């Protein structure tokens, strides 16, 4: 049996700050099998982007993976030297970021930026790299790709820039594609195009997709499995259909209820989650969600729950789930 | 691009004309009479003074003097220098190349040294080396160039027992001697600019290295060396170029004193002498040339902008 | 409520009178080139927009980036001058206001900006930020201002001691509460909300939306609610204007727009947004090709026609007019569907 494309086990990432060392990602585990798409969803401060950057080995400044393992097709990535990691980035893992306006180099033409990835990892001549670049641009739906090779990022629209980013990420045929909020900075009609393109690209290349997002509706459309993160931990994980219809963690349930949908009553106030996400310095004791949880009881304040398997790989970090209680979902 | 250059040259020409008129008037406001300075002897008869005044054309009304200056200038004749009695054109031709060479050398020193130090500082930020270089840059900024020049001369002559050759030789005439003569003043002139270039390129490089597109390059697997030099450096040059364009005026001003200190017969020294001698025609052309150099260097900076920053290429 | 008011407000706002009336509003930004700033063209950011908002009503302005929705918000406030058209507020022509009248207009109309991180002065304490409008408009005494700030902080869900802290000590949602308190300080009767929650997390968005709704009910505020999020606008607005490239393509009550959209652009917008619970196998998605063209060179005729899935040859020729199809529903009548 081939190992999953990505296997994360007990990943803990911490940053050195003036107030000491803080854990931004705590003991996160999940896996992505061949050709599948997993979404990591959470609000700001949940640690979802840091998880993605940990996989890429691109933590900023003084961030380090302090515990756990990240395996790509069974190969351990934690502890790789810079040089070894560099050969994996771009070749085995491609990544797309949130804001395409700032993510492309302003002083090089886009054709150069795509073929650069090809020439680093593949033994291609200049002409071959150029031909492949034109193919990639065609694939991501850039009209008139040959003349676009010499365009600079400021000459493209937001959606086109994100298409170029996708072309860069797919250039070397990676096994894993990481998309960190790929449509958050785009207009809604363009968002639909880019999400469609990502799906198409994934089907054509057979790459596994790790989608990082804050938007549960995007999760619903794009992913098969979902990992819900809160305050650096995985609080719930499972098949998208199960988690979104039958959440087993109060945070997921509350998040689902606060999403606006066209069929909700205008006369009732929106469902809210009181308070704010705790900072890494002032994590509450017990369950990290307890100060904002409407179901919290005494155990939640003192003891931190583990991830409990509710069956068929649907896991929840909640004492209620361990007791087998179901949450009421009314949308 | 060509269109831009042509238009900038036209504007430059207009500016030089405005300068001409302005200078013509201001120079004549300097206290002291050129004729008396020339004669330098108090016991000269009034007739002799009047005679010389008429000879220099200073008895005519100002607008007429200006008119005859222009009439000569279009034919390439900038008049006679009062103090040397030689044509202004030929006096300056000898001296202009030296100042241009000095300025270019100083800019080269400033750019090479400044960017090198700035990049090292940025790459090793907050290390001991970075701190030493940053303190060095502050010192470089605070030291006046004439004092640095004097210090260099003192140091080489007393400690190294070496003085630069006194008689000036042109670059084409004797390149080795020329460069040994020019090196010290060029460094003295360029250090302050080097220091500000170093400070700016450090902060600009740090900002670029923290930007999203650098992360994209890393995510592609681009090597750290290429990230730094191919992408980081080129992007961080944009503000540095602007700085050089702005600072070039100050640099040119510095040549006046440094040429004096290092006994170099350049345009700067000529300005100094022309002021002392109230040599109106010479002073006029010298200062105009400074203006022309300033305009040309700024044009060169703007043209190189297009090379560094593609966004500027299309902008009008 | 103990607001130190300078003006009496009518106890019961007249339901039918419109407070804000915008007619044929135009804003063209010149495109200048060269050192002499020759005018070589213009960006038609807003091109002939008319609408009205009644007392206590919320009008939603939706569209993609570049449709001119934020520019309209700023023209209503008098922050930028329109190229043409009129803005009438409480019966007065806003563009003709000078001196004290203009000041009074600015007191009555306030704005909440999108980005709570850049819209608050980082060097000012929260109490000062909130009270600044009171100082400018010379409302109340020093003591009554302090009490009023405390009162405002409570109303937006913050603590009185927060007045002594700086903006960076707050989270995004809390900062947006500060922005709202600041906007409310001068006791306005109308708020322009320019994407007030799009920089915030989902759970925090709901808190701010509820707050805005509660404040509207308590104070009878009118809102011009600018947003790109259709679901949000449907929830908060009474009526919705859909904009595309500087023009209104459709206006209707929130319910009508969602249940019976007429304009192809509105339909596309409605179907583009990813949905949490839509039956994906059944749902038919209209995927538009291309992106919003530049407002410096808007397409001829119906500006949407190059991207319109149902465009007909006449779409490129005739510039559609906003046509009333029911008392509460108007649409830019493009030949492609009429």
């Amino acid at each position: 049996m081939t190992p999953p494309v990505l296997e994360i086990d007990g990943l803990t990432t911490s940053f050195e700050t003036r107030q000491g060392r803080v854990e931004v990602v705590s003991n996160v585990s999940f896996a992505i099998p061949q050709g599948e798409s997993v979404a990591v969803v959470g609000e700001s401060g949940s640690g979802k982007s840091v998880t993605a950057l940990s996989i890429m080995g691109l933590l900023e400044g003084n961030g380090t993976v302090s515990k756990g393992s990240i395996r790509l097709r069974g190969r351990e990535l934690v502890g790789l030297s810079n040089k070894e990691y560099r050969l994996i980035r771009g070749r085995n893992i491609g990544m797309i970021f949130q804001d395409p306006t700032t993510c492309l180099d302003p002083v090089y033409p886009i054709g150069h930026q795509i073929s650069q990835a090809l020439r680093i990892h593949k033994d291609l001549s200049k002409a071959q790299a150029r031909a492949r670049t034109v193919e990639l641009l065609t694939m991501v739906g850039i009209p008139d790709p040959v003349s676009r090779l010499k365009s600079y990022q400021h000459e493209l629209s937001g959606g086109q820039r994100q298409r170029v980013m996708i072309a860069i990420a797919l250039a070397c045929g990676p096994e894993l594609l990481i998309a960190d909020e790929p449509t958050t900075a785009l207009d809604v009609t363009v968002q639909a195009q880019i999400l469609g393109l990502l799906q198409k690209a994934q089907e054509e290349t057979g790459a596994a997709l790790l989608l990082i997002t804050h938007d549960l509706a995007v999760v619903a459309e794009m992913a098969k499995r979902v990992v819900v993160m809160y305050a650096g931990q995985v609080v719930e994980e499972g098949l998208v259909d199960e988690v979104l219809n039958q959440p087993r963690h109060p945070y997921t349930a509350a998040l689902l209820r606060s999403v606006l949908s066209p069929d909700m009553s205008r006369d009732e106030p929106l469902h809210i989650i009181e308070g704010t996400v705790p900072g890494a310095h002032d994590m509450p004791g017990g369950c990290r969600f307890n100060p904002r949880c409407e179901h919290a009881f005494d155990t939640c304040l003192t003891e931190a729950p583990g991830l409990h398997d509710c069956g068929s790989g649907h896991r929840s970090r909640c004492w209620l789930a361990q007791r087998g209680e179901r949450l009421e979902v009314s949308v | 691009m060509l269109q831009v250059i042509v238009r900038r040259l036209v504007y430059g020409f207009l500016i030089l004309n405005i300068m001409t008129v302005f200078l013509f008037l201001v120079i004549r406001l300097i206290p002291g009479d050129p004729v008396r300075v020339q004669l330098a002897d108090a016991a000269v008869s009034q007739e002799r003074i009047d005679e010389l005044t008429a000879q220099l054309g200073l008895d005519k009304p100002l607008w007429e003097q200006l008119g005859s200056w222009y009439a000569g200038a279009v034919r390439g004749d900038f008049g006679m220098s009062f103090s040397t009695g030689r044509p202004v054109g030929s006096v300056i031709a000898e001296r202009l190349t030296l100042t241009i060479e000095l300025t270019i050398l100083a800019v080269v020193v400033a750019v090479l040294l400044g960017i090198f130090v700035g990049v090292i500082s940025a790459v090793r930020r907050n290390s001991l080396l970075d701190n030493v270089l940053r303190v060095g840059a502050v010192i470089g900024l605070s030291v006046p160039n004439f004092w640095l020049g004097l210090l260099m001369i003192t140091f080489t002559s007393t400690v190294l027992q070496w003085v630069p050759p006194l008689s000036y030789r042109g670059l084409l005439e004797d390149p080795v001697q020329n460069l040994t003569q020019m090196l010290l003043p060029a460094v003295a002139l360029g250090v302050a600019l080097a220091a500000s270039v170093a400070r700016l390129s450090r902060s600009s490089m740090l900002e670029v290295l923290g930007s999203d597109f650098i992360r994209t390059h890393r995510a592609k697997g681009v090597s750290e060396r290429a990230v730094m030099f191919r992408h980081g450096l080129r992007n961080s040059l944009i503000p540095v170029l602007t700085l050089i364009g702005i600072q070039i005026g100050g640099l040119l001003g510095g040549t006046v004193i440094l040429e004096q200190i290092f006994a170099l017969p350049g345009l700067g020294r000529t300005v100094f002498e022309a002021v002392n001698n109230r040599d109106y025609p010479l002073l006029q052309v010298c200062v105009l040339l400074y203006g022309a150099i300033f305009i040309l260097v700024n044009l060169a900076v703007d043209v190189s902008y297009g090379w560094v920053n593609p966004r500027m290429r299309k902008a009008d | 409520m103990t607001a130190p008011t300078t003006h009496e407000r009518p106890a019961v706002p007249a339901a039918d009178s419109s407070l804000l009336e915008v007619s044929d509003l135009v804003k063209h930004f010149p495109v200048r080139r060269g050192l002499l700033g020759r005018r070589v063209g213009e960006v038609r950011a807003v091109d002939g927009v008319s609408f009205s908002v009644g007392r206590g009503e919320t009008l939603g302005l939706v569209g993609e980036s570049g449709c001119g929705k934020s520019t309209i918000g700023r023209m209503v406030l008098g922050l930028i001058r329109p190229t043409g058209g009129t803005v009438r507020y409480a019966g007065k022509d806003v563009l003709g206001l000078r001196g004290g009248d203009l000041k009074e207009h600015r007191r009555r109309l306030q704005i909440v900006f999108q980005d709570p991180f850049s819209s608050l002065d980082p060097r000012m304490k929260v109490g000062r930020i909130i009270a600044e409008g009171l100082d400018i408009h010379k409302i109340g005494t020093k003591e009554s201002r302090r009490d009023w700030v405390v009162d405002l902080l409570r109303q937006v869900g913050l603590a009185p001691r927060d007045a002594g802290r700086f903006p960076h000590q707050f989270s995004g949602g809390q900062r947006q509460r500060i922005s709202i308190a600041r906007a409310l300080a001068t006791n306005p009767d109308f708020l322009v909300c320019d994407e007030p929650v799009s920089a915030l997390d989902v759970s925090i968005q709901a808190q701010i939306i509820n707050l805005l709704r509660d404040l509207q009910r308590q104070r009878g505020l009118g809102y011009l609610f600018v947003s790109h999020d259709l679901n949000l606008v449907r929830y908060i607005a009474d009526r919705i204007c859909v904009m595309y490239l500087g023009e209104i393509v459709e206006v209707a009550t929130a319910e009508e727009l969602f249940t019976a959209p007429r304009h192809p652009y509105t339909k596309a917008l409605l179907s583009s947004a990813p949905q949490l619970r839509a039956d994906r196998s059944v749902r038919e998605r209209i995927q538009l090709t291309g992106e919003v063209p530049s407002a410096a060179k808007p397409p001829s005729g119906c500006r949407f026609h190059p991207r319109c899935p149902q465009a007909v040859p006449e779409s490129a020729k005739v510039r559609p007019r906003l046509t009333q199809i029911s008392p509460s529903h108007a649409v830019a009548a493009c030949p492609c569907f009429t």
Side-chain angles (χ1 to χ4, degrees):
Chain A
M1 201 182 96
T2 52
V5 173
L6 180 74
E7 218 176 346
I8 297 179
D9 206 356
L11 174 70
T12 300
T13 303
S14 35
F15 285 80
E16 227 42 81
T17 69
R18 267 182 222 153
Q19 292 103 314
R21 199 176 155 98
V22 288
E23 265 183 33
V24 176
V25 170
S26 308
N27 197 16
V28 164
S29 307
F30 62 88
I32 312 180
Q34 165 82 45
E36 209 175 273
S37 47
V38 170
V40 173
V41 67
E43 297 178 278
S44 43
S46 63
K48 58 188 193 302
S49 287
V50 173
T51 302
L53 292 173
S54 302
I55 299 168
M56 285 298 275
L58 282 179
L59 290 166
E60 306 272 317
N62 44 30
T64 46
V65 173
S66 43
K67 262 186 269 162
S69 108
I70 301 168
R71 288 184 297 277
L72 188 73
R73 284 250 182 263
R75 181 181 176 196
E76 181 60 57
L77 300 185
V78 176
L80 283 190
S81 74
N82 251 334
K83 213 169 171 188
E84 292 165 318
Y85 230 128
R86 194 164 76 66
L87 296 177
I88 287 172
R89 283 184 218 130
R91 189 179 65 186
N92 304 90
I93 314 175
M95 186 157 178
I96 302 154
F97 301 94
Q98 174 172 348
D99 187 354
T101 33
T102 57
C103 281
L104 288 168
D105 195 326
V107 305
Y108 287 95
I110 56 150
H112 176 270
Q113 295 186 56
I114 301 171
S115 57
Q116 192 182 21
L118 289 164
R119 299 200 66 197
I120 291 169
H121 298 294
K122 308 238 156 173
D123 190 21
L124 294 181
S125 71
K126 238 183 174 153
Q128 286 170 319
R130 185 176 181 273
R132 175 81 182 121
T133 304
V134 173
E135 262 176 54
L136 283 162
L137 284 175
T138 314
M139 183 192 148
V140 298
I142 299 274
D144 198 8
V146 178
S147 68
R148 277 301 183 194
L149 289 174
K150 291 220 156 49
S151 295
Y152 290 90
Q153 62 108 6
H154 69 267
E155 297 165 323
L156 304 180
S157 66
Q160 285 178 329
R161 288 180 195 141
Q162 200 58 306
R163 288 173 193 271
V164 170
M165 284 298 292
I166 293 174
I168 291 175
L170 293 176
C172 300
E175 298 142 272
L176 174 65
L177 187 61
I178 304 179
D180 188 356
E181 302 269 10
T183 58
T184 308
L186 303 175
D187 273 325
V188 60
T189 59
V190 181
Q191 170 175 18
Q193 295 169 8
I194 296 295
L195 291 180
L197 174 62
L198 273 176
Q199 267 170 337
K200 189 190 95 176
Q202 195 201 357
E203 277 161 26
E204 283 174 13
T205 62
L209 175 69
L210 175 60
L211 177 73
I212 312 281
T213 182
H214 70 281
D215 188 340
L216 284 168
V218 170
V219 173
E221 303 230 337
M222 293 290 293
K224 192 171 166 211
R225 290 185 72 80
V226 60
V227 175
V228 183
M229 285 186 73
Y230 181 78
Q233 291 179 322
V234 174
V235 291
E236 184 161 7
E237 188 203 338
L239 291 169
V240 167
D241 287 339
E242 272 184 43
V243 173
L244 299 192
N245 291 313
Q246 203 40 253
R248 302 298 298 266
H249 194 283
Y251 175 64
T252 316
L255 213 51
L256 279 164
R257 266 176 290 169
S258 53
V259 172
L260 287 150
S261 73
D263 42 346
M264 76 199 333
S265 161
R266 286 159 39 85
D267 302 321
E268 283 166 43
L270 292 176
H271 185 85
I272 60 168
I273 309 175
E274 291 291 350
T276 48
V277 180
H281 288 289
D282 45 8
M283 277 303 165
C287 170
R288 292 185 177 179
F289 187 57
N290 85 63
R292 305 177 72 189
C293 183
E294 48 190 17
H295 302 283
F297 52 97
D298 29 345
T299 318
C300 305
L301 308 186
T302 50
E303 282 173 66
L307 267 178
H308 172 76
D309 197 328
C310 315
S312 67
H314 188 168
R315 301 188 293 164
S316 164
R317 191 183 294 276
C318 178
W319 290 117
L320 290 178
Q322 309 223 348
R323 286 189 189 169
E325 282 183 35
R326 294 200 165 264
L327 295 163
E328 202 184 308
V329 202
S330 57
V331 179
Chain B
M1 199 70 215
L2 190 70
Q3 204 193 341
V4 179
I5 295 172
V6 170
R7 194 163 61 216
R8 288 286 298 271
L9 288 175
V10 172
Y11 284 127
F13 180 74
L14 288 176
I15 291 168
L16 286 179
N17 278 290
I18 296 168
M19 266 182 78
T20 302
V21 177
F22 183 72
L23 275 172
F24 206 83
L25 301 174
V26 169
I27 285 174
R28 280 155 180 79
L29 289 176
I30 305 174
D33 178 355
V35 176
R36 286 185 191 278
V37 175
Q38 294 277 300
L39 298 174
D41 191 347
V44 185
S45 67
Q46 187 59 42
E47 285 110 72
R48 177 82 184 102
I49 290 174
D50 290 345
E51 189 194 343
L52 198 56
T53 307
Q55 197 186 323
L56 297 178
L58 293 174
D59 55 340
K60 297 190 189 113
L62 269 184
W63 62 268
E64 213 172 291
Q65 290 182 37
L66 183 61
S68 60
W69 187 87
Y70 260 112
V74 292
R75 284 179 280 119
D77 172 12
F78 297 98
M80 290 292 177
S81 155
F82 292 174
S83 52
T84 60
R86 294 170 51 207
V88 168
S90 68
V91 173
I92 282 173
E94 288 164 13
R95 303 180 162 197
L96 179 62
T97 46
L98 189 149
T99 300
I100 289 179
E101 188 194 342
L102 183 60
T103 311
I104 290 172
L105 278 177
V107 172
V108 169
V109 166
V111 168
L112 292 184
L113 186 68
I115 290 177
F116 181 73
V117 167
V119 167
I120 300 273
S121 247
V123 173
R124 313 242 148 169
R125 65 176 160 283
N126 299 331
S127 66
L128 181 66
L129 181 63
D130 175 31
N131 286 327
V132 169
L133 291 175
R134 284 164 74 188
V135 171
V138 173
I139 293 172
L141 262 183
S142 349
V143 172
N145 53 26
F146 59 87
W147 187 71
L148 192 65
L150 288 173
L151 212 64
M152 282 173 160
I153 291 176
T154 323
F155 179 78
T156 53
S157 58
T158 57
V159 180
L160 302 180
Q161 302 284 323
W162 177 83
V163 274
L166 281 176
S167 66
Y168 172 76
R169 306 290 283 277
L171 182 63
L172 298 175
E173 217 179 317
D174 185 349
V176 178
Q177 184 182 330
N178 176 276
L179 287 178
T180 47
Q181 283 177 317
M182 297 295 268
L183 190 67
L184 288 186
V187 170
L189 190 59
V191 157
L193 183 58
S196 44
V197 166
R199 282 161 61 97
L200 186 65
S201 45
R202 177 184 186 272
S203 63
S204 162
M205 182 91 172
L206 282 180
E207 196 189 314
V208 170
L209 289 181
S211 63
D212 288 346
F213 65 83
I214 289 293
R215 192 182 53 192
T216 307
H217 288 311
R218 291 198 171 121
K220 277 195 292 197
V222 176
S223 71
E224 213 40 30
R225 180 187 295 264
V227 163
M228 293 288 167
F229 296 102
R230 198 171 310 156
H231 300 285
L233 183 58
R234 182 156 166 197
N235 272 287
S236 58
L237 280 183
I238 296 168
V240 173
L241 267 178
T242 317
L243 175 86
I244 293 170
I246 296 168
Q247 297 281 351
I248 215 92
L251 202 71
L252 285 170
T255 60
V256 175
I257 308 241
L258 279 172
E259 285 175 12
Q260 199 68 19
I261 291 172
F262 285 90
L264 293 172
L267 203 58
R269 192 154 154 217
T270 315
V271 168
F272 192 81
E273 289 164 3
V275 172
N276 272 343
N277 296 329
R278 306 294 182 274
D279 192 339
Y280 294 169
L282 190 58
L283 189 55
Q284 171 92 24
V285 178
C286 282
V287 179
L288 271 181
L289 276 172
Y290 272 107
I293 296 174
F294 185 80
I295 288 166
L296 287 177
V297 173
N298 267 295
L299 179 60
V301 167
D302 285 359
V303 170
S304 54
Y305 246 160
W307 170 72
V308 181
N309 188 0
R311 201 176 267 265
M312 300 294 293
R313 270 173 227 169
K314 261 187 18 184
D316 72 356
Chain C
M1 212 182 301
T2 55
T5 43
T6 51
H7 286 256
E8 288 289 310
R9 258 201 291 144
V12 185
D16 55 343
S17 75
S18 44
L19 191 58
L20 175 71
E21 255 178 285
V22 167
S23 54
D24 216 19
L25 201 60
V26 176
K27 181 69 196 180
H28 293 174
F29 291 105
V31 179
R32 294 186 192 280
R33 282 271 162 82
L35 289 166
L36 299 177
R38 240 174 328 122
R39 200 182 161 116
V40 293
E42 50 199 13
V43 173
R44 304 157 86 94
V46 177
D47 224 1
V49 164
S50 308
F51 59 79
S52 63
V53 192
R55 283 180 198 279
E57 193 194 13
T58 302
L59 178 73
L61 222 48
V62 270
E64 295 178 280
S65 45
C67 72
K69 54 190 194 298
S70 291
T71 309
I72 291 179
R74 280 163 176 68
M75 284 194 281
V76 165
L77 283 165
L79 295 178
I80 45 180
R81 273 196 93 74
T83 313
T86 55
V87 178
R88 294 182 78 79
Y89 187 76
K92 279 186 196 162
D93 184 3
V94 172
L95 304 173
L97 295 180
R98 294 283 177 277
D101 288 341
L102 183 62
K103 212 170 162 186
E104 171 61 8
H105 174 67
R106 295 215 160 125
R107 183 193 69 75
R108 294 180 65 183
L109 258 86
Q110 289 288 331
I111 185 166
V112 178
F113 291 103
Q114 170 176 4
D115 186 356
F117 291 88
S118 61
S119 63
L120 298 174
D121 188 333
R123 282 172 202 82
M124 273 166 80
K125 285 186 180 164
V126 167
R128 283 271 300 125
I129 291 175
I130 297 173
E132 198 180 24
L134 300 175
D135 298 344
I136 291 167
H137 293 282
K138 301 195 176 60
I139 300 170
T141 61
K142 216 172 173 191
E143 285 71 43
S144 71
R145 281 179 207 168
R146 197 179 306 139
D147 294 345
W148 180 222
V149 167
V150 167
D151 202 29
L152 282 166
L153 282 169
R154 283 215 189 89
Q155 285 182 49
V156 298
L158 295 170
R161 67 184 154 82
D162 289 333
R165 297 163 72 192
F166 287 98
H168 70 261
Q169 295 169 288
F170 295 88
S171 67
Q174 288 171 319
R175 286 179 202 220
Q176 208 56 314
R177 289 174 189 271
I178 297 168
S179 297
I180 293 170
R182 182 203 50 76
L184 293 177
T186 58
N187 215 8
D189 36 28
F190 197 90
L191 283 191
V192 173
C193 303
D194 190 357
E195 302 264 13
V197 298
S198 52
L200 306 175
D201 275 322
V202 187
S203 69
I204 310 299
Q205 282 191 2
Q207 296 177 4
I208 300 296
I209 293 299
N210 282 350
L211 174 64
L212 285 171
R213 255 172 64 113
D214 292 347
L215 289 168
Q216 178 169 44
R217 298 212 168 142
Q218 289 160 16
R219 295 166 163 246
L221 287 165
Y223 286 157
L224 180 64
F225 199 94
V226 176
S227 176
H228 68 280
D229 185 342
L230 269 167
N231 286 336
L232 172 58
V233 170
R234 177 196 157 273
Y235 175 76
I236 197 153
D238 301 307
R239 285 184 304 130
I240 300 175
C241 286
V242 180
M243 292 195 61
Y244 187 79
L245 262 186
E247 295 179 335
I248 292 178
V249 296
E250 192 159 5
V251 197
T253 60
E255 289 308 332
E256 222 171 324
L257 193 83
F258 267 72
T259 49
R262 287 298 301 277
H263 199 279
Y265 179 63
T266 314
K267 288 181 185 169
L269 262 190
L270 287 171
S271 82
S272 290
Q275 300 297 345
L276 197 51
R277 288 180 200 286
D279 187 345
R280 268 164 270 152
S281 54
V282 179
R283 199 170 130 235
E284 168 200 17
R285 167 175 275 180
I286 306 168
Q287 204 181 71
L288 294 181
T289 52
E291 286 167 61
V292 183
S294 157
K297 288 179 247 133
S300 63
C302 169
R303 291 187 175 176
F304 183 57
H305 85 262
R307 298 176 74 198
C308 180
Q310 57 190 73
V312 292
E314 288 77 52
S315 304
K317 293 173 196 145
V318 192
R319 189 168 165 187
R321 290 161 160 272
L322 208 56
T323 312
Q324 213 71 38
I325 53 173
S326 87
S328 56
H329 195 159
V331 64
C334 179
C336 72
F337 61 92
T338 46

